[in-house]
Amino acid sequence: MGIILKEKIQGSAAWKGKELLQDDSWIYYWSKEAIVSLENALHHVQQKGLRAPDFTKEDFPIPSLTDEIAYFVDELENGRGFLLLRGLPIERYTDEQASIIYYGLGLHMGIPVTQNAKGDLLGHVKNIEAKDTKTVRVYETSERLPYHADLSDVVGLLSLRKAKSGGLSSLASAMTLYNEILEKYPEYLGILYRPVLMDNLGDGGPDFTPIFSYHAGKLSSRYMRGYIELAHEKAGNPLSKVEIEAYDIIDSILHDEDNRLDMLLEPGDIQFANNYTVFHSRTQFEDYEELELRRHLLRLWLKMPNARELAPDFPGRNGIPKREETAGAIKA
């Protein structure tokens, strides 16, 4: 277990949702010129006969957006830790064209990493109506998606279509969470800095990771309660009473209406969030009967050029290894 930070996190990363409801500076609106630049790059990729994710940053040239990209990247690591990019005219594009624009933008921000054992670089977040929800990842259902962080520096979502009802995206600052625990429940910090077993539903085997990690001057956090509980259930090692209490405290703080920020991702909206400073979730939703109308988001996991240094006991910035690389071996 590393150093336990005994001071509150200051700055814009420790935000509260109720305050941001009065301030839309976290929303970036695409200009007409920016959209033209993105569409020119789209045509460049199409003229080469390429599709996402099988092209490079050089295949998607957007030199006029250098300042915007630099702002996005800096805000994710050194600012609030999240962004909403709004105004992409998604109705102009096929799903394939939208995926090219989205993936091309991601290539200019960072390096896409694999999201599952199949090696997917561009994920599809949609309800596949699985019968046994314990054997699939929750993003493949219409159920509520609990607050969590993913195994990459940054997670991005592009909304292609929204649900018939519900499906709000919700963000909460892990830094605000830390400040509240430090102020009101400091006796639980030792437990939350201790590595805990976390399941990945067969995608690369279980990991040990702490909830909080302070390293090289920065506090990082990772939390996926359902996967922690599943890992301990599989191992026949139930969580202790004090661990359950600690996780209940986390959940109560994250779900506090003052702390969380709820938003509906309209078609064309792109959301990016830092996985070390922001937790994300989704409310339950009702889908359309017609498959072509159903809620559908595209997801990126990015390794960022300006990302923080992570402690050795805080793994998981490189995504989930492809199954060929992990076959026959389970990580400790």
Side-chain angles (χ1 to χ4, degrees):
M1 186 170 70
I3 299 170
I4 296 180
L5 180 65
K6 297 295 181 66
E7 298 176 358
K8 285 190 174 183
I9 300 297
Q10 304 297 324
S12 55
W15 51 265
K16 290 197 171 191
K18 68 173 182 179
E19 297 165 357
L20 296 185
L21 289 175
Q22 314 302 322
D23 168 19
D24 68 353
S25 61
W26 47 275
I27 305 177
Y28 169 87
Y29 293 91
W30 292 110
S31 67
K32 290 181 180 179
E33 293 77 15
I35 291 170
V36 168
S37 182
L38 292 170
E39 290 181 348
N40 286 340
L42 162 65
H43 297 148
H44 194 265
V45 170
Q46 289 185 306
Q47 285 171 356
K48 288 190 163 191
L50 302 173
R51 304 173 61 177
D54 300 319
F55 63 88
T56 67
K57 181 169 68 173
E58 289 69 33
D59 296 320
F60 191 86
I62 46 174
S64 65
L65 297 182
T66 301
D67 290 346
E68 286 85 348
I69 298 294
Y71 164 67
F72 298 160
V73 170
D74 183 66
E75 181 67 12
L76 286 167
E77 178 60 31
N78 302 309
R80 294 190 185 98
F82 76 96
L83 288 163
L84 182 67
L85 314 182
R86 175 158 282 172
L88 189 68
I90 199 80
E91 69 279 356
R92 294 187 197 172
Y93 318 125
T94 64
D95 286 1
E96 183 177 317
Q97 289 172 326
S99 71
I100 290 172
I101 291 174
Y102 178 51
Y103 191 75
L105 175 65
L107 287 174
H108 284 270
M109 292 174 59
I111 300 171
V113 297
T114 50
Q115 302 176 25
N116 53 35
K118 294 184 291 184
D120 290 340
L121 294 172
L122 189 62
H124 294 269
V125 179
K126 55 184 178 179
N127 175 22
I128 63 172
E129 297 186 327
K131 301 301 181 187
D132 181 5
T133 55
K134 271 202 169 186
T135 63
V136 301
R137 288 159 68 179
V138 185
Y139 70 83
E140 296 178 315
T141 74
S142 61
E143 294 181 3
R144 181 182 71 86
L145 184 60
Y147 281 104
H148 67 286
D150 295 322
L151 300 174
S152 61
D153 295 330
V154 162
V155 56
L157 293 170
L158 163 64
S159 174
L160 294 176
R161 284 173 290 282
K162 60 184 179 180
K164 185 176 181 181
S165 65
L168 288 176
S169 174
S170 184
L171 303 179
S173 167
M175 304 298 99
T176 296
L177 168 70
Y178 190 84
N179 288 348
E180 294 216 7
I181 293 175
L182 182 63
E183 178 183 346
K184 301 173 183 176
Y185 311 99
E187 65 273 20
Y188 289 95
L189 285 177
I191 293 167
L192 298 176
Y193 271 85
R194 189 176 65 200
V196 63
L197 191 63
M198 188 177 300
D199 196 90
N200 286 318
L201 291 185
D203 281 347
D207 281 314
F208 279 97
T209 184
I211 307 300
F212 291 115
S213 172
Y214 184 67
H215 182 73
K218 288 202 173 185
L219 179 72
S220 301
S221 185
R222 174 169 294 127
Y223 181 64
M224 291 180 271
R225 181 170 182 167
Y227 290 178
I228 293 172
E229 291 173 339
L230 182 59
H232 281 258
E233 181 183 317
K234 286 182 177 179
N237 179 23
L239 290 172
S240 68
K241 180 174 180 289
V242 71
E243 285 174 320
I244 292 171
E245 290 172 358
Y247 299 156
D248 285 346
I249 289 168
I250 288 177
D251 289 344
S252 68
I253 294 172
L254 292 178
H255 285 91
D256 187 319
E257 289 186 0
D258 286 348
N259 293 332
R260 72 175 196 261
L261 179 65
D262 298 337
M263 66 188 80
L264 180 63
L265 295 182
E266 297 287 350
D269 283 354
I270 300 174
Q271 180 193 87
F272 287 109
N274 185 319
N275 276 313
Y276 311 127
T277 66
V278 175
F279 296 139
H280 57 281
S281 76
R282 180 202 69 214
T283 64
Q284 188 176 15
F285 63 89
E286 179 187 359
D287 238 335
Y288 291 95
E289 290 295 325
E290 301 89 343
L291 292 177
E292 67 276 8
L293 297 179
R294 289 191 173 185
R295 185 181 190 272
H296 189 179
L297 288 79
L298 297 180
R299 185 178 59 195
L300 281 173
W301 284 4
L302 296 176
K303 189 174 183 178
M304 302 300 283
N306 64 337
R308 65 196 56 203
E309 180 183 330
L310 297 178
D313 69 346
F314 194 84
R317 82 164 1 130
N318 295 310
I320 295 172
K322 290 181 68 174
R323 184 161 283 125
E324 293 84 357
E325 299 170 9
T326 59
I330 297 178
K331 290 188 292 182

